[in-house]
Amino acid sequence: MKEIVVCGESLVDLVLDARGFDGPGQPPLHPALGGGPFNAAIALGRLGSAVSFCSRVSTDHFGDELVASLRAAGVDLSLVQRDDAPTSLALAAIGEDNAASYTFYVEGTADRLVTDPGALPRSVAALCFGTLSLVLEPGASVYEQMMHTHHAQGRLIMVDPNIRTVAIDAPDAYRARFRSWLPSIDIVKVSDDDAEWLGLGPNGSHPGDWLAAGVGAVVVTRGGKGISVTTAGGTVDITAPTVTAVDTIGAGDTVVGALLHWLGGHGSLGQHEVRSMDDDAWREALTYAARAAAITVSRAGADPPWASELTND
């Protein structure tokens, strides 16, 4: 089985959910394991992919919980580095629209101190990067170099920038850095908000501009409105399943994991293979990813589905 390596941070979300709270004082904080790459790795493991997590994880209590959760999902831990620096924390406030806004506490934390693991096994077909790990130094530069190195070696690269504006001190510099990655990316996945922030839209650039820079597919998630993909062959749109949303934490990460899982299961986990997919294949892949994400948003926190919850696929 071809393997997938997910690279990036793991952290603990302190979830503040004030919806319907009418008690005295402030609503309680509920700790939950998270981080975009961590969630994507959990999704891949639960769905049955051969997946490894490449990160630096604290040896504190939270770090132990993160490692245990990865192991329980079937994620390989051979690329996990441990460090006595603390675990990153995120305050996730749930709004009336069920979406979360974030404040991060990441100074001197373990995940940003990651080092390059060096050569990967030949069985590794794809790497995935995203979120804070592409922002916070010195780890961001480590992951950036891995992205370029492994793409040049012929591996598929997927990036979900998962923009967290509060963590980006120099937006224009980040946008320029993002554009410099495009020749080494095969699939970009962005939310509609990410796309707008990165300048993609009616008043900015077009997905075709990213394709011209070297990207094979631009996937845009639009919450309850569905998912689209733009490739050299055109654009495919699918609608999202109707679901009662509890919150949207981990929805985009689930799309990343489910899409990579589908590609791996259908012989498309490669640079050439992704660029060769027709509209029907993309429609099937996005439908699968949307179904997986619908399960995630139907329950609290980032809780991706297991393979048994997605039947007839």
Side-chain angles (χ1 to χ4, degrees):
M1 181 183 293
K2 291 185 177 181
E3 298 176 36
I4 300 166
V5 175
V6 179
C7 306
E9 79 279 358
S10 58
L11 51 78
V12 170
D13 287 320
L14 302 175
V15 183
L16 177 67
D17 189 349
R19 295 171 298 177
F21 180 80
D22 56 3
Q26 295 293 321
L29 293 173
H30 302 284
L33 307 182
F38 172 87
N39 295 335
I42 292 288
L44 277 160
R46 289 183 175 184
L47 293 173
S49 283
V51 56
S52 298
F53 188 54
C54 178
S55 185
R56 199 169 188 91
V57 180
S58 177
T59 55
D60 63 15
H61 172 73
F62 285 144
D64 288 344
E65 291 293 317
L66 289 160
V67 167
S69 184
L70 289 163
R71 183 180 291 113
V75 178
D76 184 273
L77 303 176
S78 59
L79 298 178
V80 171
Q81 306 160 21
R82 302 301 299 271
D83 197 292
D84 60 7
T87 298
S88 296
L89 300 176
L91 176 61
I94 309 298
E96 293 300 327
D97 60 355
N98 300 319
S101 59
Y102 293 89
T103 303
F104 296 100
Y105 301 89
V106 292
E107 286 301 319
T109 50
D111 45 28
R112 65 191 302 173
L113 302 177
V114 68
T115 58
D116 192 326
L120 296 176
R122 294 182 63 182
S123 56
V124 173
L127 290 88
C128 179
F129 302 86
T131 319
L132 297 181
S133 60
L134 294 176
V135 176
L136 301 175
E137 297 290 4
S141 291
V142 172
Y143 287 128
E144 180 180 61
Q145 186 56 54
M146 288 180 64
M147 184 191 309
H148 294 312
T149 296
H150 291 286
H151 187 266
Q153 292 176 359
R155 294 184 169 107
L156 180 140
I157 302 297
M158 183 171 184
V159 172
D160 175 10
N162 203 7
I163 300 298
R164 303 296 185 224
T165 57
V166 296
I168 300 176
D169 294 330
D172 288 342
Y174 178 88
R175 292 184 182 103
R177 191 175 192 180
F178 172 80
R179 290 192 295 271
S180 76
W181 301 333
L182 296 178
S184 293
I185 299 175
D186 301 292
I187 306 173
V188 172
K189 176 266 169 192
V190 287
S191 69
D192 47 3
D193 289 338
D194 293 341
E196 182 178 358
W197 191 88
L198 289 166
L200 200 66
N203 299 316
S205 58
H206 182 271
D209 298 331
W210 291 1
L211 300 180
V215 175
V218 179
V219 176
V220 181
T221 58
R222 297 187 172 86
K225 297 180 181 178
I227 310 175
S228 68
V229 62
T230 300
T231 67
T235 298
V236 174
D237 295 280
I238 63 101
T239 57
T242 300
V243 63
T244 300
V246 174
D247 63 51
T248 62
I249 297 175
D253 310 324
T254 300
V255 168
V256 170
L259 180 54
L260 286 170
H261 176 73
W262 189 96
L263 294 173
H266 290 78
S268 297
L269 198 64
Q271 296 180 9
H272 172 73
E273 290 81 358
V274 160
R275 288 166 174 80
S276 299
M277 287 172 59
D278 61 22
D279 288 357
D280 288 340
W282 275 113
R283 192 170 292 108
E284 184 179 340
L286 297 183
T287 298
Y288 180 80
R291 290 183 57 210
I295 294 173
T296 298
V297 302
S298 72
R299 48 205 191 195
D303 187 6
W306 296 83
S308 59
E309 296 179 271
L310 287 164
T311 58
N312 301 319
D313 294 298

